[in-house]
mmCIF file of all heavy atoms in Angstrom:
data_model
loop_
_atom_site.group_PDB
_atom_site.id
_atom_site.type_symbol
_atom_site.label_atom_id
_atom_site.label_comp_id
_atom_site.label_asym_id
_atom_site.label_seq_id
_atom_site.Cartn_x
_atom_site.Cartn_y
_atom_site.Cartn_z
ATOM 1 N N ASN A 160 -21.306 -7.204 7.217
ATOM 2 C CA ASN A 160 -20.079 -7.667 6.549
ATOM 3 C C ASN A 160 -19.700 -6.730 5.408
ATOM 4 O O ASN A 160 -18.544 -6.336 5.273
ATOM 5 C CB ASN A 160 -20.265 -9.070 5.960
ATOM 6 C CG ASN A 160 -20.057 -10.160 6.987
ATOM 7 O OD1 ASN A 160 -19.551 -9.903 8.080
ATOM 8 N ND2 ASN A 160 -20.452 -11.365 6.659
ATOM 9 N N ALA A 161 -20.706 -6.385 4.580
ATOM 10 C CA ALA A 161 -20.432 -5.511 3.433
ATOM 11 C C ALA A 161 -19.811 -4.207 3.921
ATOM 12 O O ALA A 161 -18.844 -3.707 3.330
ATOM 13 C CB ALA A 161 -21.721 -5.253 2.653
ATOM 14 N N GLN A 163 -18.156 -3.767 6.775
ATOM 15 C CA GLN A 163 -16.819 -4.030 7.333
ATOM 16 C C GLN A 163 -15.757 -4.238 6.271
ATOM 17 O O GLN A 163 -14.606 -3.869 6.459
ATOM 18 C CB GLN A 163 -16.851 -5.308 8.168
ATOM 19 C CG GLN A 163 -17.403 -5.134 9.551
ATOM 20 C CD GLN A 163 -17.312 -6.436 10.311
ATOM 21 O OE1 GLN A 163 -16.236 -7.012 10.445
ATOM 22 N NE2 GLN A 163 -18.439 -6.912 10.793
ATOM 23 N N TYR A 164 -16.147 -4.853 5.160
ATOM 24 C CA TYR A 164 -15.144 -5.211 4.160
ATOM 25 C C TYR A 164 -15.144 -4.276 2.955
ATOM 26 O O TYR A 164 -14.723 -4.659 1.871
ATOM 27 C CB TYR A 164 -15.324 -6.681 3.749
ATOM 28 C CG TYR A 164 -15.170 -7.613 4.936
ATOM 29 C CD1 TYR A 164 -16.265 -8.271 5.482
ATOM 30 C CD2 TYR A 164 -13.920 -7.770 5.549
ATOM 31 C CE1 TYR A 164 -16.126 -9.094 6.595
ATOM 32 C CE2 TYR A 164 -13.777 -8.582 6.658
ATOM 33 C CZ TYR A 164 -14.884 -9.243 7.174
ATOM 34 O OH TYR A 164 -14.745 -10.042 8.283
ATOM 35 N N ASP A 188 -21.516 -5.300 -2.565
ATOM 36 C CA ASP A 188 -20.574 -4.260 -2.140
ATOM 37 C C ASP A 188 -19.453 -4.095 -3.156
ATOM 38 O O ASP A 188 -19.286 -4.909 -4.062
ATOM 39 C CB ASP A 188 -20.014 -4.575 -0.735
ATOM 40 C CG ASP A 188 -19.176 -5.839 -0.715
ATOM 41 O OD1 ASP A 188 -18.199 -5.928 -1.483
ATOM 42 O OD2 ASP A 188 -19.486 -6.755 0.088
ATOM 43 N N VAL A 191 -13.405 -5.461 -0.559
ATOM 44 C CA VAL A 191 -12.146 -6.166 -0.790
ATOM 45 C C VAL A 191 -12.304 -7.465 -1.583
ATOM 46 O O VAL A 191 -11.355 -7.945 -2.197
ATOM 47 C CB VAL A 191 -11.435 -6.484 0.548
ATOM 48 C CG1 VAL A 191 -11.025 -5.202 1.245
ATOM 49 C CG2 VAL A 191 -12.300 -7.341 1.455
ATOM 50 N N GLY A 192 -13.523 -8.032 -1.564
ATOM 51 C CA GLY A 192 -13.729 -9.295 -2.270
ATOM 52 C C GLY A 192 -13.118 -10.476 -1.525
ATOM 53 O O GLY A 192 -12.468 -10.313 -0.482
ATOM 54 N N ILE A 193 -13.358 -11.671 -2.055
ATOM 55 C CA ILE A 193 -12.901 -12.904 -1.393
ATOM 56 C C ILE A 193 -12.064 -13.691 -2.393
ATOM 57 O O ILE A 193 -12.486 -13.868 -3.535
ATOM 58 C CB ILE A 193 -14.121 -13.743 -0.946
ATOM 59 C CG1 ILE A 193 -15.001 -12.912 0.008
ATOM 60 C CG2 ILE A 193 -13.691 -15.045 -0.274
ATOM 61 C CD1 ILE A 193 -16.397 -13.454 0.176
ATOM 62 N N VAL A 201 -16.484 -19.529 3.170
ATOM 63 C CA VAL A 201 -16.874 -18.430 4.063
ATOM 64 C C VAL A 201 -18.108 -18.724 4.919
ATOM 65 O O VAL A 201 -18.319 -18.067 5.933
ATOM 66 C CB VAL A 201 -17.076 -17.092 3.307
ATOM 67 C CG1 VAL A 201 -15.765 -16.597 2.739
ATOM 68 C CG2 VAL A 201 -18.132 -17.215 2.220
ATOM 69 N N TYR A 206 -14.930 -19.602 10.101
ATOM 70 C CA TYR A 206 -13.995 -19.372 9.007
ATOM 71 C C TYR A 206 -13.854 -17.879 8.721
ATOM 72 O O TYR A 206 -14.836 -17.156 8.604
ATOM 73 C CB TYR A 206 -14.445 -20.085 7.721
ATOM 74 C CG TYR A 206 -13.372 -19.987 6.671
ATOM 75 C CD1 TYR A 206 -12.277 -20.829 6.723
ATOM 76 C CD2 TYR A 206 -13.414 -19.004 5.698
ATOM 77 C CE1 TYR A 206 -11.247 -20.718 5.799
ATOM 78 C CE2 TYR A 206 -12.390 -18.886 4.767
ATOM 79 C CZ TYR A 206 -11.312 -19.740 4.829
ATOM 80 O OH TYR A 206 -10.304 -19.614 3.925
ATOM 81 N N ARG A 207 -12.624 -17.423 8.614
ATOM 82 C CA ARG A 207 -12.365 -16.031 8.257
ATOM 83 C C ARG A 207 -11.275 -16.042 7.208
ATOM 84 O O ARG A 207 -10.207 -16.581 7.421
ATOM 85 C CB ARG A 207 -11.896 -15.256 9.484
ATOM 86 C CG ARG A 207 -12.735 -15.581 10.707
ATOM 87 C CD ARG A 207 -12.489 -14.627 11.821
ATOM 88 N NE ARG A 207 -12.884 -13.295 11.420
ATOM 89 C CZ ARG A 207 -12.392 -12.190 11.943
ATOM 90 N NH1 ARG A 207 -11.455 -12.275 12.864
ATOM 91 N NH2 ARG A 207 -12.801 -11.025 11.548
ATOM 92 N N SER A 208 -11.573 -15.432 6.050
ATOM 93 C CA SER A 208 -10.560 -15.481 5.008
ATOM 94 C C SER A 208 -9.414 -14.559 5.388
ATOM 95 O O SER A 208 -9.629 -13.541 6.042
ATOM 96 C CB SER A 208 -11.175 -15.101 3.661
ATOM 97 O OG SER A 208 -11.174 -13.718 3.501
ATOM 98 N N SER A 213 -8.879 -9.756 7.976
ATOM 99 C CA SER A 213 -10.082 -9.825 8.790
ATOM 100 C C SER A 213 -9.868 -9.389 10.233
ATOM 101 O O SER A 213 -10.782 -8.885 10.857
ATOM 102 C CB SER A 213 -10.624 -11.247 8.803
ATOM 103 O OG SER A 213 -10.651 -11.768 7.502
ATOM 104 N N GLY A 218 -14.277 -9.601 14.007
ATOM 105 C CA GLY A 218 -15.414 -10.503 13.841
ATOM 106 C C GLY A 218 -15.138 -11.866 14.448
ATOM 107 O O GLY A 218 -14.040 -12.141 14.930
ATOM 108 N N SER A 219 -16.157 -12.727 14.419
ATOM 109 C CA SER A 219 -16.006 -14.040 15.040
ATOM 110 C C SER A 219 -15.933 -15.135 13.985
ATOM 111 O O SER A 219 -15.573 -16.258 14.288
ATOM 112 C CB SER A 219 -17.207 -14.307 15.932
ATOM 113 O OG SER A 219 -18.367 -14.314 15.132
ATOM 114 N N GLY A 220 -16.303 -14.820 12.758
ATOM 115 C CA GLY A 220 -16.373 -15.868 11.749
ATOM 116 C C GLY A 220 -17.650 -16.683 11.842
ATOM 117 O O GLY A 220 -17.770 -17.741 11.240
ATOM 118 N N LEU A 221 -18.639 -16.189 12.598
ATOM 119 C CA LEU A 221 -19.895 -16.933 12.749
ATOM 120 C C LEU A 221 -21.059 -16.325 11.973
ATOM 121 O O LEU A 221 -22.062 -16.988 11.724
ATOM 122 C CB LEU A 221 -20.275 -17.027 14.234
ATOM 123 C CG LEU A 221 -19.418 -17.949 15.086
ATOM 124 C CD1 LEU A 221 -19.829 -17.854 16.543
ATOM 125 C CD2 LEU A 221 -19.529 -19.393 14.612
ATOM 126 N N GLY A 222 -20.916 -15.059 11.595
ATOM 127 C CA GLY A 222 -22.037 -14.336 10.983
ATOM 128 C C GLY A 222 -22.644 -15.033 9.773
ATOM 129 O O GLY A 222 -23.867 -15.219 9.692
ATOM 130 N N LEU A 223 -21.795 -15.465 8.848
ATOM 131 C CA LEU A 223 -22.318 -16.093 7.631
ATOM 132 C C LEU A 223 -22.874 -17.480 7.902
ATOM 133 O O LEU A 223 -23.808 -17.931 7.244
ATOM 134 C CB LEU A 223 -21.230 -16.167 6.558
ATOM 135 C CG LEU A 223 -20.881 -14.846 5.871
ATOM 136 C CD1 LEU A 223 -19.766 -15.060 4.853
ATOM 137 C CD2 LEU A 223 -22.108 -14.242 5.208
ATOM 138 N N SER A 224 -22.273 -18.150 8.878
ATOM 139 C CA SER A 224 -22.763 -19.464 9.240
ATOM 140 C C SER A 224 -24.178 -19.342 9.823
ATOM 141 O O SER A 224 -25.069 -20.151 9.521
ATOM 142 C CB SER A 224 -21.796 -20.077 10.250
ATOM 143 O OG SER A 224 -22.157 -21.366 10.544
ATOM 144 N N SER A 247 -18.269 -8.032 -3.681
ATOM 145 C CA SER A 247 -18.993 -9.295 -3.503
ATOM 146 C C SER A 247 -20.494 -9.052 -3.569
ATOM 147 O O SER A 247 -20.971 -7.970 -3.236
ATOM 148 C CB SER A 247 -18.686 -9.896 -2.123
ATOM 149 O OG SER A 247 -17.318 -9.858 -1.841
ATOM 150 N N PHE A 249 -23.807 -11.164 -2.033
ATOM 151 C CA PHE A 249 -24.398 -12.288 -1.316
ATOM 152 C C PHE A 249 -25.888 -12.279 -1.620
ATOM 153 O O PHE A 249 -26.537 -11.238 -1.534
ATOM 154 C CB PHE A 249 -24.170 -12.156 0.199
ATOM 155 C CG PHE A 249 -22.763 -12.511 0.608
ATOM 156 C CD1 PHE A 249 -21.745 -11.569 0.524
ATOM 157 C CD2 PHE A 249 -22.460 -13.785 1.078
ATOM 158 C CE1 PHE A 249 -20.448 -11.894 0.890
ATOM 159 C CE2 PHE A 249 -21.159 -14.120 1.450
ATOM 160 C CZ PHE A 249 -20.148 -13.176 1.353
HETATM 161 P P1 LIG B 301 -16.724 -12.381 10.383
HETATM 162 O O1 LIG B 301 -17.176 -11.284 9.472
HETATM 163 O O2 LIG B 301 -17.180 -12.210 11.787
HETATM 164 O O3 LIG B 301 -15.265 -12.667 10.281
HETATM 165 P P2 LIG B 301 -18.457 -14.081 8.791
HETATM 166 O O4 LIG B 301 -18.902 -15.476 8.998
HETATM 167 O O5 LIG B 301 -19.526 -13.035 8.720
HETATM 168 O O6 LIG B 301 -17.431 -13.746 9.945
HETATM 169 O O7 LIG B 301 -17.586 -14.016 7.483
HETATM 170 C C1 LIG B 301 -16.558 -14.985 7.269
HETATM 171 C C2 LIG B 301 -15.445 -14.409 6.421
HETATM 172 O O8 LIG B 301 -15.906 -14.186 5.091
HETATM 173 C C3 LIG B 301 -14.944 -13.043 6.886
HETATM 174 O O9 LIG B 301 -13.961 -13.162 7.885
HETATM 175 C C4 LIG B 301 -14.398 -12.458 5.613
HETATM 176 O O10 LIG B 301 -13.068 -12.926 5.408
HETATM 177 C C5 LIG B 301 -15.291 -13.038 4.530
HETATM 178 N N1 LIG B 301 -16.366 -12.087 4.119
HETATM 179 C C6 LIG B 301 -17.656 -12.087 4.530
HETATM 180 N N2 LIG B 301 -18.371 -11.118 3.928
HETATM 181 C C7 LIG B 301 -17.520 -10.477 3.109
HETATM 182 C C8 LIG B 301 -17.648 -9.367 2.184
HETATM 183 N N3 LIG B 301 -18.810 -8.739 2.005
HETATM 184 N N4 LIG B 301 -16.542 -9.001 1.494
HETATM 185 C C9 LIG B 301 -15.362 -9.654 1.664
HETATM 186 N N5 LIG B 301 -15.163 -10.687 2.497
HETATM 187 C C10 LIG B 301 -16.230 -11.107 3.218
#
Side-chain angles (χ1 to χ4, degrees):
N160 277 347
Q163 280 183 56
Y164 300 108
D188 65 56
V191 295
I193 302 163
V201 294
Y206 188 79
R207 316 192 63 205
S208 85
S213 313
S219 62
L221 288 175
L223 286 179
S224 185
S247 314
F249 283 84

